[in-house]
Amino acid sequence: CWVCLVGGGVLLAIHKRFPSHLITLSDPNLETLTVTIKSPKSKLILVTIYISSNSSTKIYNRHCSEFEYLRLIFSDHTIIFGDFNLPSLYRHNSNRHAIISGPSSLKSVALTNTIVYEQLFLFNTIRNYKNNILDLILSNSKNVEVSKCSIPLVNVDPAHPPFYISGPYYLSSQTHTKHTQHM
């Protein structure tokens, strides 16, 4: 599935062995793709996001409203990842909560408040060539790990270093770890 409006876009590929369904969110104008992956024991919600660096605070607030909508509709494991273009947002290492480092903006305050309210945790600590983290990984589960990708699939963009996301047992007795590569 692909959504691309202005300069960015999102792509999410899911192997056919995992039954998945597209979730239609309330705001179709956001560069967001949301999918649910079901198994007999659990459900995983994956949300991919692209927010342009010149987006208004209103765009961030609309994304935050979608996070609330997801929490109200689904009570499942959720992983939200993508390019948020907020270089001042970091993870507090001891508790995985988001903090603002440096000058804050209405955008970073809106997202940080939503992360706290929705009880999400921030996982990516891999910095780009400017020592920023633009690609955030949020989840309502503490059992998510992010590691640097040593064998990227495409040429590396220095602003967005590739990484792997691995999570707890979600789908089958034979799959204990889920891997995703961000490009």
Side-chain angles (χ1 to χ4, degrees), residues 42-144:
S42 65
K43 192 182 327 180
L44 174 64
I45 308 296
L46 296 176
V47 182
T48 59
I49 292 175
Y50 172 74
I51 303 176
S52 168
S53 59
N54 62 357
S55 292
S56 68
T57 303
K58 183 178 177 181
I59 295 293
Y60 284 87
N61 287 333
R62 287 168 44 197
H63 277 286
C64 292
S65 293
E66 294 296 345
F67 299 164
E68 182 178 357
Y69 169 78
L70 283 172
R71 181 183 52 81
L72 293 172
I73 301 301
F74 304 101
S75 61
D76 307 298
H77 297 288
T78 302
I79 300 176
I80 302 165
F81 55 96
D83 184 356
F84 286 77
N85 274 302
L86 288 175
S88 64
L89 205 60
Y90 294 101
R91 181 181 108 172
H92 188 273
N93 286 332
S94 65
N95 61 16
R96 297 183 179 169
H97 289 238
I99 60 170
I100 299 170
S101 175
S104 65
S105 66
L106 292 175
K107 299 171 190 180
S108 58
V109 170
L111 185 59
T112 303
N113 288 342
T114 299
I115 290 169
V116 170
Y117 181 75
E118 299 301 329
Q119 299 177 8
L120 298 170
F121 301 97
L122 182 61
F123 291 93
N124 190 10
T125 59
I126 300 169
R127 296 177 184 275
N128 67 13
Y129 76 105
K130 289 186 175 181
N131 203 30
N132 294 324
I133 301 172
L134 301 178
D135 303 310
L136 301 181
I137 298 145
L138 306 166
S139 181
N140 59 353
S141 171
K142 288 186 179 181
N143 298 322
V144 174

Side-chain angles (χ1 to χ4, degrees), residues 156-175:
V156 174
D157 176 350
H160 302 279
F163 52 79
Y164 287 107
I165 302 171
S166 47
Y169 167 78
Y170 285 117
L171 300 170
S172 74
S173 59
Q174 298 172 354
T175 304

